[in-house]
Amino acid sequence: MNECYYDKRMDFFYNRTKTDTADEWTGPQLIGVLCFGTFFCLFIFISNSLVIAAVVKNRRFHFPFYYLLANLAAADFFAGIAYVFLMFNTGPVSKTLTVNRWFLRQGLLDTSLTASLVNLLVIAVERHMSIMRMKIHSNLTKKRVTFLIISIWAIAIFMGAVPTLGWNCLCDITVCSSLAPIYSRSYLVFWSVLNLVVFFIMVVVYIRIYMYVQRKTNVLSSHTSGSISRRRTPVKLMKTVMTVLGAFVVCWTPGLVVLLLDGLNCTDCGIQNVKRWFLLLALLNSVMNPIIYSYKDDEMWATMKRMICCSSEDKSQERRSSRIPSTVLCRSTDMSGHYIEDGIIQGTICGKGDLGDKGNS
C-alpha cells in the first residue's frame, strides 16, 4: 500500500521533483515583480468592473450576448483575484506552503481558466442561435441566461477542485509532475488536451459562423433596403467575439502545451525556463479583453467613457445645478435610426461623454 503525504509541506515535493521555485527572487527583483503584477491586477479589477457596470447601466446591452460578455468580464475579474493570491504565494514562498494552500492557489487559476473557456463556448452557442436566424440577438430568456451563468461557474469550480478531490499524486509520488509537483502527470495530460481540443472546436465553429454571416450579409445587401449599420451589426459582434477568442487562444495555448509536455514527462524540453513567461502571457489575456471590448464595440466604449466622465465631473456639475435643470434627456443613436432615451443619471448631464466622441455602431 502506497504511503500518502498529506501532512508534508511543499518543500518536500519541490525538492523531490527538482522544481525551480525561484529562490533568487529577493530584494529589488522581488519588489519589481510584485509592483509589475500589482499594476496589471489593478487594471484587471478596474477595467472589468467598468465592463460589467456598462452592461448593467446601458439598456441596449440588456441582451443574452452582453450578459454573457459581462460574465466573461467577471471571469477575468476572478482571474485577477487568482493572480493576486498567486503573486503572494509564489517564488521562495512556494516551498513554505501547505498542501491545501497550494491546492487553493492552483485551483483558483484553474477555475478562472475554465470559467472563461466555458463562457466562450456558451457565447458560441448563443451566436449560433442568433446568426442562423439572421438576428442580432438570440431569444434566450433572462431565466435561461441566469441558469447558464450559474452552470458556467458550477463547472468551473468543479474543474478547479478536481485535483483536490483526489486526482493528485499525494499517495503515489512517482507520478508527480515537475511544474505542479503534487499534480499527477495523467491529470495534466487530461487537462491540457481537453482545453486544447475545446480551443480547436471553438475556432472552427466561429470561423464557420463568420463565413456564413459574411455570405448571407452580401446576399441580403443586394436585395434589401435596410440600413447599412443594421446589416453590419451581426458582423461587428462576430468580429468582437472572434478577437476575444483569438486573444484567449494565443495567451493560453503556450502554457497548456508546456503542461502537456510536463504531463508526458518530457525532461529535455526546458519547460522550467519558460513557465513564468507563459504565466505572464496568460495574465495579459485578462488585461486585453476589456481593451478589446471598448475598441471593437463603440457603444461599450461610449458607455464606459460616459461613466468615467460623469464620475469625474460630479463636483463641477453640482456647482452648476442651480442654473441647469436637474432632469435632461441625452440623445443617442440606435442601430437603425434615432431615438430619445432616458438620460437621467442622479441629476447629472452626460452630454459631453456621449456617443458623439466615438461614433455609433
Side-chain angles (χ1 to χ4, degrees), residues 180-241:
I182 57 177
Y183 276 10
S184 172
R185 288 197 299 270
S186 61
Y187 173 75
L188 289 187
V189 172
F190 162 79
W191 172 256
S192 54
V193 169
L194 176 64
N195 284 280
L196 290 172
V197 169
V198 174
F199 284 1
F200 177 76
I201 292 174
M202 284 197 299
V203 169
V204 172
V205 169
Y206 276 114
I207 290 176
R208 292 192 62 181
I209 293 177
Y210 182 75
M211 293 174 63
Y212 175 82
V213 170
Q214 288 283 39
R215 184 171 64 255
K216 295 295 289 186
T217 302
N218 292 334
V219 172
L220 291 175
S221 62
S222 60
H223 295 87
T224 62
S225 57
S227 66
I228 295 177
S229 62
R230 177 174 290 277
R231 293 197 302 268
R232 289 179 178 175
T233 298
V235 179
K236 294 184 70 174
L237 290 180
M238 281 304 304
K239 287 182 177 179
T240 300
V241 175

Coordinates of all heavy atoms in Angstrom, one line a residue, residues 180-241:
A180 N 3.9 21.2 -11.5 CA 2.9 21.2 -10.5 C 3.2 19.9 -9.6 O 2.6 18.9 -9.9 CB 1.5 21.1 -11.1
P181 N 4.1 20.0 -8.7 CA 4.7 18.8 -8.0 C 3.7 18.0 -7.2 O 4.2 17.0 -6.7 CB 5.8 19.4 -7.1 CG 5.4 20.9 -6.9 CD 4.7 21.3 -8.2
I182 N 2.5 18.4 -7.0 CA 1.5 17.4 -6.3 C 0.3 17.1 -7.3 O -0.7 16.5 -6.8 CB 1.0 18.0 -5.0 CG1 0.3 19.4 -5.2 CG2 2.1 18.1 -4.0 CD1 -0.3 19.9 -3.9
Y183 N 0.5 17.5 -8.5 CA -0.5 17.1 -9.6 C 0.0 15.8 -10.3 O 1.2 15.7 -10.5 CB -0.7 18.2 -10.6 CG -1.7 19.2 -10.2 CD1 -2.2 19.3 -8.9 CD2 -2.1 20.2 -11.2 CE1 -3.1 20.3 -8.6 CE2 -3.0 21.2 -10.9 CZ -3.5 21.2 -9.6 OH -4.4 22.2 -9.2
S184 N -0.9 14.9 -10.5 CA -0.5 13.7 -11.3 C -0.3 14.1 -12.7 O -0.9 15.0 -13.3 CB -1.6 12.7 -11.2 OG -1.4 11.6 -12.0
R185 N 0.8 13.5 -13.3 CA 1.0 13.8 -14.7 C -0.1 13.4 -15.6 O -0.4 14.1 -16.6 CB 2.3 13.0 -15.2 CG 3.6 13.6 -14.6 CD 4.8 13.1 -15.4 NE 4.9 11.6 -15.4 CZ 5.6 10.9 -14.4 NH1 6.2 11.6 -13.5 NH2 5.7 9.6 -14.5
S186 N -0.9 12.4 -15.3 CA -2.0 12.0 -16.1 C -3.1 13.1 -16.0 O -3.8 13.3 -17.1 CB -2.6 10.7 -15.6 OG -3.1 10.8 -14.2
Y187 N -3.2 13.8 -14.9 CA -4.2 14.9 -14.8 C -3.8 16.0 -15.7 O -4.6 16.6 -16.4 CB -4.4 15.4 -13.4 CG -5.2 16.6 -13.3 CD1 -6.6 16.5 -13.4 CD2 -4.6 17.8 -13.1 CE1 -7.4 17.7 -13.4 CE2 -5.4 19.0 -13.0 CZ -6.8 18.9 -13.2 OH -7.6 20.0 -13.1
L188 N -2.5 16.3 -15.8 CA -2.0 17.4 -16.6 C -2.3 17.1 -18.1 O -2.6 18.0 -18.9 CB -0.5 17.7 -16.4 CG -0.1 18.3 -15.0 CD1 1.4 18.6 -15.0 CD2 -0.9 19.6 -14.8
V189 N -2.1 15.8 -18.5 CA -2.3 15.4 -19.9 C -3.8 15.6 -20.2 O -4.2 16.2 -21.2 CB -1.9 14.0 -20.1 CG1 -2.4 13.5 -21.5 CG2 -0.4 13.8 -20.0
F190 N -4.7 15.1 -19.3 CA -6.1 15.3 -19.4 C -6.5 16.7 -19.5 O -7.3 17.2 -20.4 CB -6.9 14.6 -18.3 CG -8.3 15.0 -18.1 CD1 -9.3 14.5 -18.9 CD2 -8.6 16.0 -17.1 CE1 -10.6 14.9 -18.8 CE2 -10.0 16.4 -17.0 CZ -10.9 15.9 -17.8
W191 N -6.0 17.6 -18.6 CA -6.4 19.0 -18.5 C -6.0 19.7 -19.8 O -6.8 20.5 -20.4 CB -5.8 19.6 -17.3 CG -5.9 21.1 -17.1 CD1 -4.9 22.0 -17.3 CD2 -7.1 21.8 -16.7 NE1 -5.4 23.2 -17.1 CE2 -6.7 23.2 -16.7 CE3 -8.4 21.4 -16.4 CZ2 -7.6 24.2 -16.4 CZ3 -9.3 22.4 -16.1 CH2 -8.9 23.8 -16.1
S192 N -4.7 19.6 -20.2 CA -4.2 20.3 -21.3 C -4.9 19.9 -22.6 O -5.2 20.7 -23.5 CB -2.7 20.2 -21.4 OG -2.3 18.8 -21.4
V193 N -5.0 18.5 -22.8 CA -5.6 18.0 -24.1 C -7.1 18.5 -24.1 O -7.6 18.9 -25.2 CB -5.5 16.5 -24.1 CG1 -6.4 16.0 -25.3 CG2 -4.1 16.1 -24.3
L194 N -7.8 18.4 -23.0 CA -9.2 18.8 -23.0 C -9.4 20.3 -23.5 O -10.2 20.6 -24.3 CB -9.8 18.6 -21.6 CG -11.3 19.1 -21.4 CD1 -12.2 18.3 -22.3 CD2 -11.7 19.0 -20.0
N195 N -8.5 21.1 -22.9 CA -8.6 22.6 -23.2 C -8.2 22.8 -24.7 O -8.8 23.7 -25.3 CB -7.8 23.4 -22.2 CG -8.4 23.5 -20.9 OD1 -9.3 24.3 -20.7 ND2 -8.0 22.7 -19.9
L196 N -7.1 22.2 -25.1 CA -6.7 22.4 -26.5 C -7.7 21.9 -27.5 O -7.9 22.6 -28.5 CB -5.3 21.7 -26.7 CG -4.1 22.3 -26.0 CD1 -2.9 21.4 -26.1 CD2 -3.8 23.7 -26.5
V197 N -8.4 20.8 -27.2 CA -9.4 20.3 -28.1 C -10.6 21.3 -28.2 O -11.1 21.6 -29.3 CB -9.9 18.9 -27.7 CG1 -11.2 18.5 -28.4 CG2 -8.8 17.9 -27.9
V198 N -11.0 21.8 -27.0 CA -12.1 22.8 -27.0 C -11.7 24.1 -27.7 O -12.5 24.7 -28.5 CB -12.4 23.1 -25.5 CG1 -13.5 24.3 -25.5 CG2 -13.0 21.9 -24.8
F199 N -10.4 24.5 -27.6 CA -9.9 25.6 -28.4 C -10.1 25.4 -29.9 O -10.7 26.2 -30.6 CB -8.4 25.8 -28.1 CG -8.1 26.5 -26.8 CD1 -9.1 26.8 -25.9 CD2 -6.8 26.7 -26.4 CE1 -8.8 27.4 -24.7 CE2 -6.5 27.3 -25.2 CZ -7.5 27.7 -24.4
F200 N -9.7 24.2 -30.3 CA -9.8 23.9 -31.8 C -11.2 23.9 -32.2 O -11.6 24.5 -33.3 CB -9.1 22.6 -32.0 CG -9.2 22.1 -33.5 CD1 -8.4 22.7 -34.4 CD2 -10.1 21.2 -33.8 CE1 -8.4 22.3 -35.7 CE2 -10.2 20.7 -35.2 CZ -9.4 21.3 -36.1
I201 N -12.1 23.3 -31.4 CA -13.5 23.2 -31.8 C -14.1 24.6 -31.9 O -14.8 25.0 -32.9 CB -14.3 22.4 -30.8 CG1 -13.9 20.9 -30.9 CG2 -15.8 22.5 -31.0 CD1 -14.5 20.0 -29.8
M202 N -13.8 25.5 -30.9 CA -14.4 26.8 -30.9 C -13.9 27.6 -32.1 O -14.7 28.4 -32.8 CB -14.1 27.5 -29.6 CG -14.9 27.1 -28.5 SD -14.9 28.3 -27.1 CE -13.2 28.2 -26.7
V203 N -12.6 27.5 -32.4 CA -12.1 28.2 -33.6 C -12.8 27.8 -34.9 O -13.2 28.7 -35.7 CB -10.5 28.0 -33.7 CG1 -10.0 28.5 -35.0 CG2 -9.8 28.7 -32.5
V204 N -13.0 26.5 -35.0 CA -13.6 26.0 -36.2 C -15.1 26.5 -36.3 O -15.5 27.0 -37.4 CB -13.6 24.5 -36.3 CG1 -14.5 23.9 -37.4 CG2 -12.2 24.0 -36.4
V205 N -15.8 26.5 -35.2 CA -17.2 26.9 -35.1 C -17.3 28.4 -35.5 O -18.1 28.8 -36.3 CB -17.8 26.6 -33.8 CG1 -19.2 27.3 -33.6 CG2 -17.9 25.1 -33.5
Y206 N -16.5 29.2 -34.9 CA -16.5 30.6 -35.1 C -16.2 31.0 -36.5 O -16.8 31.9 -37.1 CB -15.7 31.4 -34.1 CG -16.3 31.6 -32.8 CD1 -15.8 31.0 -31.6 CD2 -17.4 32.5 -32.7 CE1 -16.5 31.3 -30.4 CE2 -18.1 32.7 -31.5 CZ -17.6 32.1 -30.3 OH -18.2 32.3 -29.1
I207 N -15.2 30.3 -37.1 CA -14.8 30.6 -38.5 C -16.0 30.2 -39.4 O -16.3 31.0 -40.3 CB -13.6 29.8 -38.9 CG1 -12.3 30.4 -38.2 CG2 -13.4 29.8 -40.4 CD1 -11.1 29.6 -38.4
R208 N -16.7 29.1 -39.1 CA -17.8 28.7 -40.0 C -19.0 29.7 -39.8 O -19.6 30.1 -40.8 CB -18.3 27.3 -39.6 CG -17.3 26.2 -40.0 CD -17.9 24.9 -39.9 NE -19.1 24.7 -40.8 CZ -19.8 23.6 -40.9 NH1 -19.5 22.6 -40.1 NH2 -20.8 23.5 -41.7
I209 N -19.2 30.1 -38.6 CA -20.3 31.1 -38.4 C -20.0 32.4 -39.1 O -20.8 33.1 -39.7 CB -20.5 31.4 -36.9 CG1 -21.1 30.1 -36.2 CG2 -21.5 32.5 -36.7 CD1 -21.3 30.2 -34.7
Y210 N -18.7 32.9 -38.9 CA -18.3 34.1 -39.6 C -18.5 34.1 -41.1 O -18.9 35.0 -41.7 CB -16.9 34.5 -39.2 CG -16.4 35.8 -39.7 CD1 -16.8 37.0 -39.2 CD2 -15.5 35.8 -40.8 CE1 -16.4 38.2 -39.7 CE2 -15.1 37.0 -41.3 CZ -15.5 38.2 -40.7 OH -15.1 39.4 -41.2
M211 N -18.0 33.0 -41.7 CA -18.2 32.8 -43.1 C -19.6 32.8 -43.5 O -20.0 33.4 -44.6 CB -17.5 31.5 -43.6 CG -16.0 31.5 -43.4 SD -15.2 29.9 -43.8 CE -15.7 29.7 -45.5
Y212 N -20.5 32.2 -42.7 CA -21.9 32.2 -43.0 C -22.5 33.6 -43.0 O -23.3 34.0 -43.8 CB -22.7 31.3 -42.0 CG -24.2 31.3 -42.1 CD1 -24.8 30.5 -43.1 CD2 -24.9 32.1 -41.3 CE1 -26.2 30.5 -43.2 CE2 -26.3 32.1 -41.4 CZ -26.9 31.3 -42.4 OH -28.3 31.4 -42.5
V213 N -22.1 34.4 -41.9 CA -22.6 35.7 -41.8 C -22.2 36.6 -43.0 O -23.0 37.4 -43.5 CB -22.1 36.3 -40.5 CG1 -22.4 37.8 -40.4 CG2 -22.7 35.6 -39.3
Q214 N -20.9 36.5 -43.4 CA -20.4 37.3 -44.5 C -21.2 36.9 -45.7 O -21.6 37.8 -46.5 CB -18.9 37.0 -44.7 CG -18.0 37.6 -43.6 CD -17.8 39.1 -43.8 OE1 -18.7 39.8 -44.1 NE2 -16.6 39.5 -43.5
R215 N -21.4 35.6 -46.0 CA -22.1 35.2 -47.2 C -23.6 35.7 -47.2 O -24.0 36.3 -48.2 CB -22.1 33.7 -47.3 CG -22.7 33.2 -48.6 CD -22.5 31.7 -48.8 NE -23.1 30.9 -47.8 CZ -22.5 30.3 -46.8 NH1 -21.1 30.4 -46.7 NH2 -23.1 29.6 -45.9
K216 N -24.3 35.6 -46.1 CA -25.6 36.0 -46.0 C -25.8 37.5 -46.1 O -26.7 38.1 -46.7 CB -26.3 35.5 -44.7 CG -26.4 34.0 -44.7 CD -27.4 33.4 -45.7 CE -28.8 33.8 -45.4 NZ -29.7 33.1 -46.3
T217 N -24.8 38.2 -45.4 CA -24.9 39.7 -45.5 C -24.7 40.2 -46.9 O -25.4 41.1 -47.3 CB -23.8 40.2 -44.5 OG1 -23.9 39.7 -43.2 CG2 -23.8 41.8 -44.5
N218 N -23.8 39.6 -47.6 CA -23.5 40.0 -49.0 C -24.8 39.8 -49.9 O -25.1 40.6 -50.7 CB -22.4 39.3 -49.6 CG -21.0 39.7 -49.0 OD1 -20.9 40.8 -48.4 ND2 -20.1 38.8 -49.0
V219 N -25.5 38.7 -49.6 CA -26.7 38.4 -50.4 C -27.8 39.3 -50.0 O -28.5 39.9 -50.9 CB -27.1 36.9 -50.2 CG1 -28.5 36.6 -50.8 CG2 -26.1 35.9 -50.7
L220 N -28.0 39.5 -48.7 CA -29.1 40.4 -48.3 C -28.9 41.9 -48.7 O -29.8 42.6 -48.9 CB -29.3 40.3 -46.8 CG -29.8 38.9 -46.3 CD1 -29.8 38.9 -44.8 CD2 -31.2 38.7 -46.8
S221 N -27.6 42.3 -48.7 CA -27.3 43.7 -49.0 C -27.8 44.1 -50.4 O -28.1 45.3 -50.6 CB -25.8 44.0 -48.8 OG -25.1 43.2 -49.7
S222 N -27.8 43.2 -51.3 CA -28.3 43.5 -52.7 C -29.8 43.3 -52.9 O -30.3 43.7 -54.0 CB -27.5 42.6 -53.7 OG -27.8 41.2 -53.4
H223 N -30.5 42.9 -51.9 CA -31.9 42.6 -52.0 C -32.8 43.4 -51.0 O -34.0 43.3 -51.1 CB -32.3 41.1 -51.9 CG -31.7 40.3 -53.0 ND1 -30.4 39.8 -53.0 CD2 -32.2 39.9 -54.2 CE1 -30.2 39.1 -54.1 NE2 -31.3 39.2 -54.9
T224 N -32.1 44.0 -50.1 CA -32.9 44.8 -49.1 C -32.5 46.2 -49.0 O -31.4 46.6 -49.5 CB -32.6 44.1 -47.7 OG1 -31.2 44.3 -47.3 CG2 -33.1 42.7 -47.6
S225 N -33.3 47.0 -48.5 CA -33.1 48.5 -48.4 C -32.8 48.9 -47.0 O -32.9 50.0 -46.6 CB -34.2 49.3 -49.0 OG -35.4 48.9 -48.3
G226 N -32.6 47.9 -46.1 CA -32.3 48.2 -44.7 C -31.1 49.0 -44.5 O -30.2 49.1 -45.4
S227 N -30.9 49.6 -43.3 CA -29.8 50.5 -43.1 C -28.5 49.6 -43.1 O -28.5 48.5 -42.8 CB -29.9 51.1 -41.7 OG -29.9 50.2 -40.7
I228 N -27.4 50.3 -43.5 CA -26.1 49.6 -43.6 C -25.7 49.2 -42.2 O -25.1 48.1 -42.0 CB -25.1 50.5 -44.2 CG1 -25.5 50.8 -45.7 CG2 -23.7 49.9 -44.1 CD1 -24.5 51.8 -46.3
S229 N -25.9 50.0 -41.2 CA -25.5 49.7 -39.8 C -26.2 48.4 -39.3 O -25.6 47.6 -38.6 CB -25.7 50.9 -38.9 OG -27.1 51.1 -38.8
R230 N -27.5 48.3 -39.7 CA -28.2 47.1 -39.2 C -27.6 45.8 -39.9 O -27.6 44.8 -39.2 CB -29.7 47.2 -39.6 CG -30.5 46.0 -39.2 CD -32.0 46.2 -39.4 NE -32.5 47.2 -38.5 CZ -32.9 46.8 -37.2 NH1 -32.8 45.6 -36.8 NH2 -33.4 47.7 -36.4
R231 N -27.3 45.9 -41.2 CA -26.7 44.7 -41.8 C -25.3 44.4 -41.3 O -24.9 43.2 -41.3 CB -26.7 45.0 -43.3 CG -28.0 45.1 -44.0 CD -27.9 44.9 -45.5 NE -27.0 45.8 -46.1 CZ -27.4 47.0 -46.6 NH1 -28.7 47.3 -46.6 NH2 -26.6 47.8 -47.2
R232 N -24.6 45.4 -40.9 CA -23.2 45.2 -40.4 C -23.1 44.8 -39.0 O -22.1 44.3 -38.5 CB -22.4 46.4 -40.7 CG -22.1 46.7 -42.1 CD -21.3 48.0 -42.3 NE -21.0 48.2 -43.7 CZ -20.3 49.3 -44.1 NH1 -20.0 50.3 -43.2 NH2 -20.1 49.5 -45.4
T233 N -24.2 45.0 -38.2 CA -24.1 44.8 -36.7 C -23.8 43.3 -36.4 O -22.9 43.1 -35.5 CB -25.4 45.2 -36.1 OG1 -25.6 46.6 -36.2 CG2 -25.4 44.9 -34.6
P234 N -24.4 42.3 -37.0 CA -24.0 40.9 -36.7 C -22.6 40.6 -37.0 O -21.9 39.9 -36.2 CB -25.0 40.1 -37.6 CG -26.1 41.0 -37.9 CD -25.6 42.3 -37.9
V235 N -22.1 41.2 -38.1 CA -20.7 41.0 -38.4 C -19.7 41.7 -37.4 O -18.7 41.1 -37.0 CB -20.4 41.6 -39.8 CG1 -18.9 41.4 -40.2 CG2 -21.3 41.0 -40.9
K236 N -20.1 42.9 -36.9 CA -19.3 43.5 -35.9 C -19.3 42.8 -34.6 O -18.2 42.7 -33.9 CB -19.8 45.0 -35.7 CG -19.7 45.9 -36.9 CD -20.1 47.3 -36.6 CE -19.2 48.0 -35.7 NZ -19.5 49.4 -35.5
L237 N -20.4 42.2 -34.2 CA -20.5 41.4 -33.0 C -19.6 40.2 -33.1 O -18.9 39.8 -32.2 CB -21.9 41.0 -32.6 CG -22.8 42.2 -32.1 CD1 -24.2 41.6 -31.8 CD2 -22.2 42.9 -30.9
M238 N -19.6 39.6 -34.3 CA -18.8 38.4 -34.5 C -17.3 38.7 -34.5 O -16.5 38.0 -34.0 CB -19.2 37.7 -35.9 CG -20.5 36.9 -35.8 SD -20.4 35.6 -34.6 CE -18.9 34.8 -35.0
K239 N -17.0 39.9 -35.0 CA -15.6 40.3 -35.0 C -15.1 40.5 -33.6 O -14.0 40.1 -33.2 CB -15.4 41.5 -35.8 CG -15.5 41.3 -37.3 CD -15.2 42.6 -38.1 CE -15.2 42.4 -39.6 NZ -15.0 43.7 -40.4
T240 N -16.0 41.1 -32.7 CA -15.6 41.3 -31.3 C -15.4 39.9 -30.6 O -14.3 39.7 -30.0 CB -16.7 42.0 -30.6 OG1 -16.9 43.3 -31.2 CG2 -16.4 42.2 -29.1
V241 N -16.3 39.0 -30.9 CA -16.2 37.7 -30.2 C -14.9 36.9 -30.7 O -14.2 36.3 -30.0 CB -17.4 36.8 -30.5 CG1 -17.3 35.4 -29.9 CG2 -18.6 37.5 -29.8

